[in-house]
mmCIF file of all heavy atoms in Angstrom:
data_model
loop_
_atom_site.group_PDB
_atom_site.id
_atom_site.type_symbol
_atom_site.label_atom_id
_atom_site.label_comp_id
_atom_site.label_asym_id
_atom_site.label_seq_id
_atom_site.Cartn_x
_atom_site.Cartn_y
_atom_site.Cartn_z
ATOM 1 N N VAL L 12 0.449 8.841 11.184
ATOM 2 C CA VAL L 12 1.289 8.997 12.376
ATOM 3 C C VAL L 12 0.503 9.721 13.463
ATOM 4 O O VAL L 12 0.516 9.336 14.641
ATOM 5 C CB VAL L 12 2.586 9.758 12.031
ATOM 6 C CG1 VAL L 12 3.336 10.132 13.301
ATOM 7 C CG2 VAL L 12 3.467 8.915 11.129
ATOM 8 N N ALA L 13 -0.219 10.769 13.055
ATOM 9 C CA ALA L 13 -0.995 11.522 14.032
ATOM 10 C C ALA L 13 -2.098 10.665 14.642
ATOM 11 O O ALA L 13 -2.356 10.707 15.847
ATOM 12 C CB ALA L 13 -1.597 12.763 13.374
ATOM 13 N N LEU L 14 -2.767 9.865 13.795
ATOM 14 C CA LEU L 14 -3.829 9.005 14.293
ATOM 15 C C LEU L 14 -3.281 7.971 15.269
ATOM 16 O O LEU L 14 -3.884 7.678 16.299
ATOM 17 C CB LEU L 14 -4.528 8.298 13.126
ATOM 18 C CG LEU L 14 -5.465 9.168 12.291
ATOM 19 C CD1 LEU L 14 -5.858 8.439 11.013
ATOM 20 C CD2 LEU L 14 -6.707 9.536 13.083
ATOM 21 N N ALA L 15 -2.103 7.409 14.921
ATOM 22 C CA ALA L 15 -1.511 6.411 15.798
ATOM 23 C C ALA L 15 -1.117 7.014 17.137
ATOM 24 O O ALA L 15 -1.353 6.440 18.204
ATOM 25 C CB ALA L 15 -0.276 5.798 15.123
ATOM 26 N N SER L 16 -0.541 8.223 17.099
ATOM 27 C CA SER L 16 -0.087 8.846 18.330
ATOM 28 C C SER L 16 -1.238 9.344 19.183
ATOM 29 O O SER L 16 -1.080 9.596 20.376
ATOM 30 C CB SER L 16 0.853 10.011 17.999
ATOM 31 O OG SER L 16 0.167 10.995 17.258
ATOM 32 N N SER L 17 -2.442 9.480 18.582
ATOM 33 C CA SER L 17 -3.579 9.960 19.357
ATOM 34 C C SER L 17 -4.330 8.833 20.040
ATOM 35 O O SER L 17 -5.295 9.070 20.745
ATOM 36 C CB SER L 17 -4.559 10.705 18.435
ATOM 37 O OG SER L 17 -5.156 9.801 17.526
ATOM 38 N N GLY L 18 -3.881 7.581 19.803
ATOM 39 C CA GLY L 18 -4.637 6.447 20.302
ATOM 40 C C GLY L 18 -4.602 6.287 21.800
ATOM 41 O O GLY L 18 -5.480 5.650 22.384
ATOM 42 N N GLY L 19 -3.629 6.860 22.470
ATOM 43 C CA GLY L 19 -3.533 6.684 23.899
ATOM 44 C C GLY L 19 -4.604 7.420 24.662
ATOM 45 O O GLY L 19 -5.045 8.502 24.264
ATOM 46 N N ALA L 20 -5.087 6.824 25.768
ATOM 47 C CA ALA L 20 -6.017 7.455 26.700
ATOM 48 C C ALA L 20 -7.298 7.919 26.013
ATOM 49 O O ALA L 20 -7.956 8.840 26.467
ATOM 50 C CB ALA L 20 -5.348 8.656 27.384
ATOM 51 N N GLY L 21 -7.647 7.265 24.864
ATOM 52 C CA GLY L 21 -8.897 7.568 24.211
ATOM 53 C C GLY L 21 -8.953 8.933 23.564
ATOM 54 O O GLY L 21 -10.032 9.441 23.275
ATOM 55 N N ALA L 22 -7.799 9.563 23.334
ATOM 56 C CA ALA L 22 -7.791 10.892 22.737
ATOM 57 C C ALA L 22 -8.258 10.823 21.297
ATOM 58 O O ALA L 22 -7.844 9.950 20.536
ATOM 59 C CB ALA L 22 -6.384 11.475 22.808
ATOM 60 N N ALA L 23 -9.139 11.749 20.888
ATOM 61 C CA ALA L 23 -9.630 11.788 19.513
ATOM 62 C C ALA L 23 -8.581 12.428 18.616
ATOM 63 O O ALA L 23 -7.917 13.380 19.008
ATOM 64 C CB ALA L 23 -10.925 12.582 19.449
#
Side-chain angles (χ1 to χ4, degrees):
V12 170
L14 285 168
S16 62
S17 67

